[in-house]
Amino acid sequence: MSRSSINWGVLGAAEIAREHTIPAILAADNSQPYALASRRGVPSALVERFGFATGYDDYEALLADPAVDAVYLPLPNDRHAEWTIKAARAGKHVLCEKPAALTAGQTREAIAACESAGVLFMEAMMYQFHAQHARVRELIAAGAIGEVRGVHVNLTFNLEKSLADFRHGGLETGGGSLYDLGCYCIHVIRSLLGEPDRVATVARFAGPQAAEMSAAVVLGYDNGAKAGFDCGMDATPRHAYEVYGTAGTLRVPKAFVPQPDGDGPIDIVDADGNTTVERVTSHQYPNGVAHFADCVLTGRRPDYSPHDVLANMRVLDACIESLTTSRIVSLEKP
């Protein structure tokens, strides 16, 4: 593609789109907000607010627009695979909100549809585009904490009063904290320790639809590394992870929620308990949007590859299987 920017179509006006992704499209030099679709009618106020060229009251109509290069899908979880496949068949590149689908099987079908159509696919796991996480890996490689022994992740917020939110639904519709938050935690652990060999999950169910409101997961590795995370929609906000080793600990206290000023502190704790704080400034949503748009323009594969997306979903599948069977679930390497 010889142009310097791409035209984005957005399917749905969810909060994540309004508050983060559409503003990121506006902020990215290689992106233009071209079309917005909502099944509740043409979203005229949002079209005007964000400067979209056009609006639709039908998702299919947006996909049929030849001026749209790529689509962003912020739809409810159980519709991600369906509309990824429809967008691919319409010839649109796809940035799909996490989780990519409800199962690894669905994810594989969505990826295959994109590959068959010759379009790019990336899951919108945007936290990873904040530079603080690359700095964590640099510190580990430099021996700042010795040999890594384990990772712990905490990601919670309180959604108990918002009963109309789709996340209060059952696991069969993509509701619950594992789908909404656990996918992030799994990605952090995999990015630092690689693929786990087994997982075990416990959870709390509550509300009128008996939603999975919170979960705790242990991930085991044959090499002796250990990892764990807790995620929940029923507790005070927490969004941090720590990596501990033989000579210290790295703590990332603002790991997932975008900071308006881009602040990303890293606490470096040595073996004696002394703490040094590094601050990394970065903006994850504009970075992620710009990266995907650059891939569309240049034809290169996203750094967060479909293979990696599928591997993340395989672990999430195992967490849910462990929860529903009350057993430790073993994983084969992808």
Side-chain angles (χ1 to χ4, degrees), residues 36-57:
L36 175 64
S38 172
R39 286 190 166 174
R40 297 178 181 177
V42 176
S44 301
L46 291 177
V47 167
E48 182 177 350
R49 172 183 166 189
F50 292 115
F52 284 95
T54 188
Y56 293 101
D57 60 3

PDB file of all heavy atoms in Angstrom, residues 36-57:
ATOM      1  N   LEU A  36     -18.062   4.621  11.335  1.00  0.00           N
ATOM      2  CA  LEU A  36     -18.508   4.067  12.619  1.00  0.00           C
ATOM      3  C   LEU A  36     -19.894   3.485  12.426  1.00  0.00           C
ATOM      4  O   LEU A  36     -20.776   4.135  11.856  1.00  0.00           O
ATOM      5  CB  LEU A  36     -18.540   5.168  13.684  1.00  0.00           C
ATOM      6  CG  LEU A  36     -19.095   4.785  15.061  1.00  0.00           C
ATOM      7  CD1 LEU A  36     -18.219   3.725  15.718  1.00  0.00           C
ATOM      8  CD2 LEU A  36     -19.180   6.034  15.955  1.00  0.00           C
ATOM      9  N   ALA A  37     -20.099   2.247  12.884  1.00  0.00           N
ATOM     10  CA  ALA A  37     -21.398   1.591  12.749  1.00  0.00           C
ATOM     11  C   ALA A  37     -21.962   1.242  14.117  1.00  0.00           C
ATOM     12  O   ALA A  37     -21.227   0.839  15.021  1.00  0.00           O
ATOM     13  CB  ALA A  37     -21.272   0.323  11.912  1.00  0.00           C
ATOM     14  N   SER A  38     -23.277   1.409  14.257  1.00  0.00           N
ATOM     15  CA  SER A  38     -23.977   1.011  15.474  1.00  0.00           C
ATOM     16  C   SER A  38     -25.345   0.488  15.092  1.00  0.00           C
ATOM     17  O   SER A  38     -26.037   1.081  14.249  1.00  0.00           O
ATOM     18  CB  SER A  38     -24.130   2.199  16.429  1.00  0.00           C
ATOM     19  OG  SER A  38     -24.964   1.848  17.520  1.00  0.00           O
ATOM     20  N   ARG A  39     -25.755  -0.613  15.689  1.00  0.00           N
ATOM     21  CA  ARG A  39     -27.066  -1.179  15.399  1.00  0.00           C
ATOM     22  C   ARG A  39     -28.185  -0.467  16.147  1.00  0.00           C
ATOM     23  O   ARG A  39     -29.340  -0.830  16.024  1.00  0.00           O
ATOM     24  CB  ARG A  39     -27.054  -2.669  15.713  1.00  0.00           C
ATOM     25  CG  ARG A  39     -26.272  -3.462  14.672  1.00  0.00           C
ATOM     26  CD  ARG A  39     -26.447  -4.940  14.821  1.00  0.00           C
ATOM     27  NE  ARG A  39     -25.969  -5.630  13.622  1.00  0.00           N
ATOM     28  CZ  ARG A  39     -25.894  -6.946  13.507  1.00  0.00           C
ATOM     29  NH1 ARG A  39     -26.265  -7.712  14.521  1.00  0.00           N
ATOM     30  NH2 ARG A  39     -25.461  -7.495  12.398  1.00  0.00           N
ATOM     31  N   ARG A  40     -27.828   0.530  16.920  1.00  0.00           N
ATOM     32  CA  ARG A  40     -28.842   1.334  17.610  1.00  0.00           C
ATOM     33  C   ARG A  40     -29.184   2.586  16.805  1.00  0.00           C
ATOM     34  O   ARG A  40     -29.787   3.521  17.318  1.00  0.00           O
ATOM     35  CB  ARG A  40     -28.339   1.720  19.002  1.00  0.00           C
ATOM     36  CG  ARG A  40     -28.098   0.515  19.910  1.00  0.00           C
ATOM     37  CD  ARG A  40     -27.560   0.945  21.260  1.00  0.00           C
ATOM     38  NE  ARG A  40     -27.312  -0.204  22.121  1.00  0.00           N
ATOM     39  CZ  ARG A  40     -26.794  -0.131  23.345  1.00  0.00           C
ATOM     40  NH1 ARG A  40     -26.466   1.076  23.843  1.00  0.00           N
ATOM     41  NH2 ARG A  40     -26.600  -1.207  24.060  1.00  0.00           N
ATOM     42  N   GLY A  41     -28.786   2.602  15.549  1.00  0.00           N
ATOM     43  CA  GLY A  41     -29.006   3.763  14.698  1.00  0.00           C
ATOM     44  C   GLY A  41     -27.688   4.422  14.353  1.00  0.00           C
ATOM     45  O   GLY A  41     -26.669   4.189  15.011  1.00  0.00           O
ATOM     46  N   VAL A  42     -27.692   5.230  13.310  1.00  0.00           N
ATOM     47  CA  VAL A  42     -26.474   5.932  12.913  1.00  0.00           C
ATOM     48  C   VAL A  42     -25.987   6.791  14.087  1.00  0.00           C
ATOM     49  O   VAL A  42     -26.728   7.652  14.582  1.00  0.00           O
ATOM     50  CB  VAL A  42     -26.725   6.828  11.687  1.00  0.00           C
ATOM     51  CG1 VAL A  42     -25.476   7.618  11.347  1.00  0.00           C
ATOM     52  CG2 VAL A  42     -27.161   5.982  10.498  1.00  0.00           C
ATOM     53  N   PRO A  43     -24.766   6.550  14.578  1.00  0.00           N
ATOM     54  CA  PRO A  43     -24.267   7.258  15.764  1.00  0.00           C
ATOM     55  C   PRO A  43     -23.794   8.668  15.418  1.00  0.00           C
ATOM     56  O   PRO A  43     -22.605   8.980  15.486  1.00  0.00           O
ATOM     57  CB  PRO A  43     -23.120   6.369  16.227  1.00  0.00           C
ATOM     58  CG  PRO A  43     -22.601   5.750  14.957  1.00  0.00           C
ATOM     59  CD  PRO A  43     -23.802   5.554  14.070  1.00  0.00           C
ATOM     60  N   SER A  44     -24.734   9.551  15.082  1.00  0.00           N
ATOM     61  CA  SER A  44     -24.389  10.877  14.555  1.00  0.00           C
ATOM     62  C   SER A  44     -23.530  11.683  15.520  1.00  0.00           C
ATOM     63  O   SER A  44     -22.568  12.350  15.114  1.00  0.00           O
ATOM     64  CB  SER A  44     -25.663  11.651  14.225  1.00  0.00           C
ATOM     65  OG  SER A  44     -26.428  10.961  13.276  1.00  0.00           O
ATOM     66  N   ALA A  45     -23.874  11.620  16.823  1.00  0.00           N
ATOM     67  CA  ALA A  45     -23.117  12.408  17.798  1.00  0.00           C
ATOM     68  C   ALA A  45     -21.661  11.954  17.862  1.00  0.00           C
ATOM     69  O   ALA A  45     -20.741  12.783  17.931  1.00  0.00           O
ATOM     70  CB  ALA A  45     -23.776  12.313  19.167  1.00  0.00           C
ATOM     71  N   LEU A  46     -21.445  10.631  17.823  1.00  0.00           N
ATOM     72  CA  LEU A  46     -20.080  10.117  17.884  1.00  0.00           C
ATOM     73  C   LEU A  46     -19.347  10.336  16.570  1.00  0.00           C
ATOM     74  O   LEU A  46     -18.139  10.587  16.561  1.00  0.00           O
ATOM     75  CB  LEU A  46     -20.101   8.630  18.241  1.00  0.00           C
ATOM     76  CG  LEU A  46     -20.552   8.289  19.663  1.00  0.00           C
ATOM     77  CD1 LEU A  46     -20.609   6.784  19.860  1.00  0.00           C
ATOM     78  CD2 LEU A  46     -19.606   8.912  20.694  1.00  0.00           C
ATOM     79  N   VAL A  47     -20.064  10.242  15.458  1.00  0.00           N
ATOM     80  CA  VAL A  47     -19.448  10.533  14.162  1.00  0.00           C
ATOM     81  C   VAL A  47     -18.912  11.962  14.157  1.00  0.00           C
ATOM     82  O   VAL A  47     -17.771  12.222  13.737  1.00  0.00           O
ATOM     83  CB  VAL A  47     -20.474  10.331  13.023  1.00  0.00           C
ATOM     84  CG1 VAL A  47     -19.948  10.926  11.716  1.00  0.00           C
ATOM     85  CG2 VAL A  47     -20.775   8.844  12.845  1.00  0.00           C
ATOM     86  N   GLU A  48     -19.729  12.879  14.658  1.00  0.00           N
ATOM     87  CA  GLU A  48     -19.300  14.276  14.699  1.00  0.00           C
ATOM     88  C   GLU A  48     -18.193  14.498  15.721  1.00  0.00           C
ATOM     89  O   GLU A  48     -17.215  15.208  15.447  1.00  0.00           O
ATOM     90  CB  GLU A  48     -20.502  15.160  15.044  1.00  0.00           C
ATOM     91  CG  GLU A  48     -20.183  16.643  15.067  1.00  0.00           C
ATOM     92  CD  GLU A  48     -21.401  17.499  15.341  1.00  0.00           C
ATOM     93  OE1 GLU A  48     -22.522  16.964  15.335  1.00  0.00           O
ATOM     94  OE2 GLU A  48     -21.218  18.722  15.563  1.00  0.00           O
ATOM     95  N   ARG A  49     -18.335  13.893  16.874  1.00  0.00           N
ATOM     96  CA  ARG A  49     -17.342  14.079  17.953  1.00  0.00           C
ATOM     97  C   ARG A  49     -15.949  13.652  17.521  1.00  0.00           C
ATOM     98  O   ARG A  49     -14.954  14.348  17.792  1.00  0.00           O
ATOM     99  CB  ARG A  49     -17.787  13.283  19.187  1.00  0.00           C
ATOM    100  CG  ARG A  49     -16.766  13.219  20.313  1.00  0.00           C
ATOM    101  CD  ARG A  49     -17.280  12.341  21.441  1.00  0.00           C
ATOM    102  NE  ARG A  49     -16.242  11.985  22.395  1.00  0.00           N
ATOM    103  CZ  ARG A  49     -16.395  11.089  23.374  1.00  0.00           C
ATOM    104  NH1 ARG A  49     -17.565  10.477  23.524  1.00  0.00           N
ATOM    105  NH2 ARG A  49     -15.405  10.809  24.189  1.00  0.00           N
ATOM    106  N   PHE A  50     -15.854  12.512  16.833  1.00  0.00           N
ATOM    107  CA  PHE A  50     -14.543  11.977  16.482  1.00  0.00           C
ATOM    108  C   PHE A  50     -14.131  12.271  15.042  1.00  0.00           C
ATOM    109  O   PHE A  50     -13.026  11.894  14.631  1.00  0.00           O
ATOM    110  CB  PHE A  50     -14.513  10.468  16.732  1.00  0.00           C
ATOM    111  CG  PHE A  50     -14.585  10.091  18.187  1.00  0.00           C
ATOM    112  CD1 PHE A  50     -15.676   9.402  18.687  1.00  0.00           C
ATOM    113  CD2 PHE A  50     -13.569  10.436  19.063  1.00  0.00           C
ATOM    114  CE1 PHE A  50     -15.754   9.052  20.029  1.00  0.00           C
ATOM    115  CE2 PHE A  50     -13.626  10.097  20.408  1.00  0.00           C
ATOM    116  CZ  PHE A  50     -14.729   9.412  20.891  1.00  0.00           C
ATOM    117  N   GLY A  51     -14.989  12.905  14.276  1.00  0.00           N
ATOM    118  CA  GLY A  51     -14.624  13.285  12.921  1.00  0.00           C
ATOM    119  C   GLY A  51     -14.644  12.151  11.920  1.00  0.00           C
ATOM    120  O   GLY A  51     -13.882  12.177  10.936  1.00  0.00           O
ATOM    121  N   PHE A  52     -15.505  11.138  12.141  1.00  0.00           N
ATOM    122  CA  PHE A  52     -15.652  10.090  11.146  1.00  0.00           C
ATOM    123  C   PHE A  52     -16.243  10.681   9.866  1.00  0.00           C
ATOM    124  O   PHE A  52     -17.068  11.600   9.915  1.00  0.00           O
ATOM    125  CB  PHE A  52     -16.574   8.980  11.656  1.00  0.00           C
ATOM    126  CG  PHE A  52     -15.947   8.060  12.662  1.00  0.00           C
ATOM    127  CD1 PHE A  52     -16.103   8.283  14.028  1.00  0.00           C
ATOM    128  CD2 PHE A  52     -15.203   6.972  12.246  1.00  0.00           C
ATOM    129  CE1 PHE A  52     -15.529   7.447  14.953  1.00  0.00           C
ATOM    130  CE2 PHE A  52     -14.625   6.115  13.169  1.00  0.00           C
ATOM    131  CZ  PHE A  52     -14.778   6.352  14.517  1.00  0.00           C
ATOM    132  N   ALA A  53     -15.862  10.124   8.727  1.00  0.00           N
ATOM    133  CA  ALA A  53     -16.402  10.594   7.458  1.00  0.00           C
ATOM    134  C   ALA A  53     -17.844  10.161   7.258  1.00  0.00           C
ATOM    135  O   ALA A  53     -18.617  10.835   6.578  1.00  0.00           O
ATOM    136  CB  ALA A  53     -15.541  10.083   6.304  1.00  0.00           C
ATOM    137  N   THR A  54     -18.210   9.025   7.853  1.00  0.00           N
ATOM    138  CA  THR A  54     -19.562   8.514   7.656  1.00  0.00           C
ATOM    139  C   THR A  54     -19.957   7.605   8.809  1.00  0.00           C
ATOM    140  O   THR A  54     -19.101   7.140   9.578  1.00  0.00           O
ATOM    141  CB  THR A  54     -19.663   7.736   6.324  1.00  0.00           C
ATOM    142  OG1 THR A  54     -21.029   7.407   6.061  1.00  0.00           O
ATOM    143  CG2 THR A  54     -18.845   6.461   6.363  1.00  0.00           C
ATOM    144  N   GLY A  55     -21.263   7.358   8.927  1.00  0.00           N
ATOM    145  CA  GLY A  55     -21.786   6.466   9.950  1.00  0.00           C
ATOM    146  C   GLY A  55     -22.802   5.517   9.342  1.00  0.00           C
ATOM    147  O   GLY A  55     -23.448   5.834   8.333  1.00  0.00           O
ATOM    148  N   TYR A  56     -22.934   4.333   9.942  1.00  0.00           N
ATOM    149  CA  TYR A  56     -23.867   3.322   9.454  1.00  0.00           C
ATOM    150  C   TYR A  56     -24.698   2.789  10.619  1.00  0.00           C
ATOM    151  O   TYR A  56     -24.226   2.758  11.771  1.00  0.00           O
ATOM    152  CB  TYR A  56     -23.109   2.155   8.809  1.00  0.00           C
ATOM    153  CG  TYR A  56     -22.373   2.512   7.534  1.00  0.00           C
ATOM    154  CD1 TYR A  56     -20.997   2.748   7.539  1.00  0.00           C
ATOM    155  CD2 TYR A  56     -23.056   2.606   6.329  1.00  0.00           C
ATOM    156  CE1 TYR A  56     -20.313   3.061   6.373  1.00  0.00           C
ATOM    157  CE2 TYR A  56     -22.391   2.928   5.150  1.00  0.00           C
ATOM    158  CZ  TYR A  56     -21.023   3.154   5.174  1.00  0.00           C
ATOM    159  OH  TYR A  56     -20.358   3.476   4.013  1.00  0.00           O
ATOM    160  N   ASP A  57     -25.913   2.325  10.303  1.00  0.00           N
ATOM    161  CA  ASP A  57     -26.726   1.652  11.312  1.00  0.00           C
ATOM    162  C   ASP A  57     -26.714   0.148  11.098  1.00  0.00           C
ATOM    163  O   ASP A  57     -27.565  -0.576  11.625  1.00  0.00           O
ATOM    164  CB  ASP A  57     -28.162   2.184  11.311  1.00  0.00           C
ATOM    165  CG  ASP A  57     -28.876   1.981   9.985  1.00  0.00           C
ATOM    166  OD1 ASP A  57     -28.276   1.365   9.075  1.00  0.00           O
ATOM    167  OD2 ASP A  57     -30.026   2.434   9.868  1.00  0.00           O
TER     168      ASP A  57
END
